[in-house]
Amino acid sequence: MSTQETNSPPGASPAGTSPERSDFIREIVAADLRDGKHQTIVTRFPPEPNGYLHIGHAKAICIDFGVARDFGGRCNLRFDDTNPTREEQEYIDAIQEDIHWLGFDWGEHLYFASGYFEQLYEWAVYLIKAGKAYVDDLSADEIREHRGTLTEPGRNSPWRERSIEENLDLFDRMRKGEFPDGARVLRAKIDMASPNMNMRDPAMYRILHAEHPRTGAKWCVYPMYDYAHGQSDAIEGITHSLCSLEFEIHRPLYDWFIDNLPVPSRPRQIEFARLNITYTVLSKRVLLRLVNDGYVRGWNDPRMPTLAGLRRRGFPAEGIRDFVTGVGVAKADNVIEFGQLEHAVRDVLNRKAERRFAVLAPLKVVIENYPEGRVEEMDVVNNPEDPSAGSRKVPFTRELWIERDDFMEEPPAKFFRLAPGREVRLRSAYFVTCREVVKDAAGEIVELRCTYDPATRGGDSPDGRRPKATLHWISADHAMPAEVRLYDHLFSRPDPGADGDLFTDLNPDSETVLQGCMVEPSLADLPLGETVQFERLGYFCPDLDSTPGHPVFNRTLTLKDTWAKLQAQGKQNS
Ligand code: ATP
Ligand code: MG
C-alpha cells in the first residue's frame, strides 16, 4: 500500500513551512490570487463542540491554518455550535487548548455559528418571503417516508404549498415557543425529485427546547448545520472553505443557499480526503462511547487518538504536524499505517528527547569491591544527537538496580548481556563482572554479586577491553520507585469494526501497568509535557496521575521502528 500522496517525504517539514510544497488546494488558492479573484485569502476551521479533537482534525487544522499561513492570509476558528443537546463548554475550551498546542493561532478571529443566529433567522424569513422555504407539519418519520430513496424520487409534503403569510406566522410562533420539539420544521423548497437527496427540501430549522452553552434559553429553534454552515462562511468572508470529502455531496445545497440569499460574499468549498489510520477509529461518536462506557480513562487517555490523548501519551506536536504533512492532501480516501505516525514522532523524539536511566523490572546488583557508603557522581550525556543538551550527574553506589532481562544465568549463543563470569559495561560508569547469583528459597534470582574494575571509570578501559554489552543502571540508594504504563493499539485489528461490532475488536491488552519500576532521581522533577528516552527501553513521559510520592510514566513509544523497516524492504523489493 502506498501511503505517500504528495511528493513531499514524510516528516519533511512542519505543515506549510516549506514554500515549494504544493497540492491541489494550494494550486487553486495560488491561481485565485494570481487571477485577482481575491486580494487576500481567508480560511476557517469549523469544529462542532461535541467532543475532543482527534488526529483527523489535526489534518484539517494543518490544512486550514497552513494554507492561510502559506499565502499570507488568515484562518478563523469557528465553532459550529448548532446542536445544543450535544455541545458543551468543556469541549469549546478543550478544542482551543488543543489547537494552540498543535501550534496554530486564530488571533482575534474566534467565532461561533451561534453568534449568527439572528442573521440566520432573518435570512430564513427572507427565503419564506421569496416562496423558497415552508413550515412542514409532518413528523420526522413521515418526512423520511416522503423523502424517497436513491433510486426513487421523493413526494411533496401536503404542507409544501402553504401561503407565505401562513409560513411567516408559523415560523414566528415556532420561534416564540408555541410548539413542542419535533412538531414542525422549516424546510427549503427545492426539489423532491432531485437525484441528490440533500436537495429534497432539506430541513433548515428544528424546534428544540434546549439551553445552549452560549445563547442560553434565548432560542428554541435552531438552524441545521447544513443551513448554518455556508452562510457562516459567507458572513466571515471565507474565500476557501476547506473540508473533508463527505461534504462534497452537500455542496450543491450550500451553493443553493448562497445563490438565493443576499449574503455578503461567496465562499468556494474545496473537499479533501479524510485521514484514516489503521488500528484507529476517528469518529467522535465512537470516541464518546469509549469514554462514557469506561473503556478508557477519559478523552485524554493515552490510547485515544485525540490530541489530548496523544499529548498525554508524550507525542510532540511537531511529530503530529510532520506526520500530517507527510500524508499530504489528496482527493481520494485511503488508510495510513499507524506506524507512519509513530515514525514521525520517533524522528522528532530521537532528535530532541533527553536520555535518562530507568529500570522497568529491577534486579539488585551488589558490587562487592566497591566501598560501602561511597557515592560517585557520574557524568552522563543527555542526548548524543544534540551536544547542546549537555550532560548530567547520576549517582553511582555499591548497590544498583539493573534490568532483569539484562541477565541470564544460562545465556544462549546470541545473548551478550550479563551472565555468570561475564564482564559488561555500565553506561558512563564502570565495567562489572558477575561473580555470584543469589536465589531465594523458591529458586528466584534475587541478587547478583559483582566486582568492578576501578580503572574503567567513565565506561572505558585503558587496556582496550570492549565488553559486548552496555547496560543502564540506577543507584539503589537514590532510585525513585515509579509506576509505568505501557500501551498498545486500542483496537486489535487494523480495520476495527470491519466484521461487525467494533467494540468487540477492542484490544484487551492495550494497557499494561507496571509497579515497582525504578527511575533515576533527576526524573522526579521532569515537567508534564516533556518526553524523554529511557535508555534502551523507549520514550516515556510523566503522566497527569503522578503524585509527589508516586510518579507515573507513560510509554510514548518503543525504540523499534517497524514502519521504517517495512518502507526500506518495500524499496528493496520494488
Ligand atoms: P467526527 O466524524 O469525528 O465526529 P466531524 O467531522 O463530525 O468529526 P467536526 O467537528 O464537524 O467533526 O469537524 C471539523 C472539521 O474537521 C471538518 O471540517 C471536518 O471536515 C474535519 N475533519 C473531521 N474528521 C476528519 C478526518 N478524519 N480527517 C480530516 N478532516 C477531518
Ligand atoms: Mg461533522
Side-chain angles (χ1 to χ4, degrees):
M1 169 170 45
S2 168
T3 50
Q4 200 69 18
E5 295 178 7
T6 65
N7 48 13
S8 62
S13 67
T17 55
S18 152
E20 69 273 15
R21 228 163 61 74
S22 196
D23 51 60
F24 77 98
I25 293 178
R26 284 174 167 84
E27 277 162 23
I28 293 171
V29 170
D32 284 351
L33 285 169
R34 200 170 50 235
D35 300 346
K37 191 170 166 205
H38 303 290
Q39 297 314 306
T40 170
I41 75 140
V42 186
T43 62
R44 85 287 167 272
F45 174 64
E48 182 180 356
N50 60 352
Y52 279 58
L53 297 180
H54 52 60
I55 190 160
H57 294 114
K59 174 174 179 179
I61 291 167
C62 288
I63 293 173
D64 296 334
F65 283 91
V67 166
R69 183 181 52 196
D70 285 1
F71 292 93
R74 74 170 147 84
C75 181
N76 298 351
L77 171 59
R78 180 179 68 244
F79 286 97
D80 263 317
D81 54 347
T82 52
N83 185 358
T85 57
R86 284 208 294 257
E87 296 162 3
E88 286 172 29
Q89 187 62 40
E90 178 195 346
Y91 300 139
I92 294 177
D93 297 338
I95 286 170
Q96 295 185 59
E97 184 186 350
D98 289 346
I99 299 172
H100 275 149
W101 174 75
L102 195 58
F104 297 99
D105 188 31
W106 51 91
E108 310 276 271
H109 301 283
L110 172 64
Y111 304 108
F112 293 83
S114 58
Y116 311 136
F117 278 174
E118 197 64 54
Q119 174 69 82
L120 292 169
Y121 183 87
E122 276 171 32
W123 280 337
V125 169
Y126 181 96
L127 285 179
I128 294 174
K129 286 183 176 161
K132 290 173 183 163
Y134 63 98
V135 173
D136 195 343
D137 297 0
L138 292 184
S139 68
D141 282 343
E142 288 167 329
I143 288 180
R144 204 169 304 122
E145 203 189 298
H146 277 72
R147 244 183 127 211
T149 64
L150 284 173
T151 49
E152 288 165 50
R155 284 176 294 132
N156 287 353
S157 163
W159 308 103
R160 197 174 197 261
E161 299 309 328
R162 267 181 164 141
S163 71
I164 289 174
E165 288 66 34
E166 195 183 357
N167 280 318
L168 288 172
D169 175 60
L170 284 171
F171 190 47
D172 182 52
R173 289 164 60 196
M174 279 169 65
R175 177 183 186 166
K176 287 186 175 136
E178 288 189 24
F179 311 118
D181 288 3
R184 295 189 157 84
V185 290
L186 182 74
R187 300 176 71 175
K189 195 192 269 189
I190 307 179
D191 178 7
M192 289 305 291
S194 171
N196 182 341
M197 302 283 280
N198 293 294
M199 300 298 272
R200 294 186 187 173
D201 292 11
M204 292 170 60
Y205 270 88
R206 61 211 189 285
I207 302 173
L208 219 51
H209 292 268
E211 292 250 342
H212 186 282
R214 293 188 64 83
T215 58
K218 182 167 181 217
W219 294 89
C220 64
V221 289
Y222 288 97
M224 304 299 292
Y225 178 87
D226 272 355
Y227 171 59
H229 189 78
Q231 279 57 258
S232 302
D233 279 349
I235 291 168
E236 290 172 20
I238 303 301
T239 56
H240 298 84
S241 181
L242 313 175
C243 63
S244 39
L245 270 181
E246 72 270 24
F247 294 102
E248 188 171 26
I249 190 101
H250 298 246
R251 176 151 39 89
L253 174 58
Y254 299 166
D255 287 343
W256 185 89
F257 284 125
I258 296 290
D259 288 340
N260 286 284
L261 286 169
V263 291
S265 81
R266 192 182 173 89
R268 169 168 182 187
Q269 176 169 305
I270 307 170
E271 304 87 9
F272 55 83
R274 279 175 87 85
L275 177 64
N276 302 298
I277 306 180
T278 54
Y279 297 98
T280 306
V281 176
L282 297 180
S283 149
K284 282 188 282 190
R285 193 178 46 78
V286 172
L287 300 180
L288 180 66
R289 207 181 130 195
L290 289 170
V291 173
N292 285 345
D293 293 358
Y295 290 107
V296 293
R297 296 171 187 268
W299 280 102
N300 64 353
D301 186 290
R303 292 163 293 176
M304 290 279 271
T306 53
L307 296 183
L310 297 170
R311 174 166 70 236
R312 181 170 173 186
R313 168 96 172 244
F315 281 33
E318 184 185 352
I320 294 174
R321 292 195 306 266
D322 288 353
F323 165 70
V324 166
T325 304
V327 165
V329 183
K331 253 298 194 201
D333 275 320
N334 67 357
V335 182
I336 306 295
E337 301 280 343
F338 193 89
Q340 187 174 344
L341 170 60
E342 296 183 331
H343 174 77
V345 167
R346 267 194 202 95
D347 201 56
V348 172
L349 291 176
N350 182 44
R351 279 184 280 117
K352 302 206 164 158
E354 294 203 351
R355 276 51 168 174
R356 292 290 182 270
F357 289 161
V359 171
L360 297 188
L363 174 61
K364 176 70 72 71
V365 165
V366 178
I367 303 174
E368 293 181 318
N369 59 338
Y370 194 88
E372 287 197 40
R374 181 199 239 168
V375 182
E376 279 183 276
E377 298 287 339
M378 298 302 187
D379 273 313
V380 184
V381 166
N382 282 330
N383 184 355
E385 302 287 322
D386 175 14
S388 76
S391 64
R392 67 189 185 285
K393 303 276 185 203
V394 180
F396 185 90
T397 54
R398 179 180 154 92
E399 298 202 359
L400 306 170
W401 297 113
I402 65 163
E403 207 68 63
R404 199 160 269 277
D405 282 355
D406 281 339
F407 175 80
M408 280 186 97
E409 197 172 13
E410 287 164 30
K414 288 207 169 128
F415 186 88
F416 299 116
R417 292 167 270 168
L418 200 57
R422 186 181 288 172
E423 182 176 64
V424 296
R425 175 193 289 115
L426 296 182
R427 161 94 73 222
S428 308
Y430 291 106
F431 292 4
V432 296
T433 305
C434 178
R435 302 294 174 189
E436 190 191 336
V437 181
V438 182
K439 296 180 181 173
D440 65 11
E444 277 285 313
I445 300 172
V446 291
E447 190 178 293
L448 303 178
R449 310 293 290 190
C450 298
T451 54
Y452 85 117
D453 176 357
T456 58
R457 193 175 194 284
D460 275 312
S461 163
D463 64 12
R465 247 158 51 235
R466 295 171 66 97
K468 282 204 171 131
T470 301
L471 311 187
H472 60 281
W473 50 271
I474 298 175
S475 156
D477 298 339
H478 299 82
M480 186 172 63
E483 173 181 328
V484 174
R485 298 175 183 166
L486 311 179
Y487 302 105
D488 195 354
H489 295 306
L490 190 49
F491 292 93
S492 48
R493 53 186 292 167
D495 49 356
D499 277 352
D501 180 7
L502 78 112
F503 285 81
T504 61
D505 293 334
L506 279 162
N507 176 5
D509 301 318
S510 59
E511 182 187 77
T512 306
V513 177
L514 306 177
Q515 301 288 355
C517 307
M518 295 291 171
V519 304
E520 69 169 73
S522 76
L523 287 169
D525 13 84
L526 187 67
L528 282 181
E530 199 145 317
T531 305
V532 295
Q533 185 187 113
F534 287 178
E535 286 213 23
R536 304 177 57 231
L537 298 175
Y539 297 100
F540 293 78
C541 69
D543 188 76
L544 308 169
D545 288 344
S546 296
T547 55
H550 186 79
V552 179
F553 291 90
N554 297 316
R555 184 171 69 193
T556 307
L557 288 174
T558 60
L559 296 173
K560 261 201 313 268
D561 191 336
T562 43
W563 187 77
K565 216 163 119 189
L566 286 175
Q567 291 297 101
Q569 282 170 358
K571 273 188 197 122
Q572 264 172 21
N573 296 344
S574 63

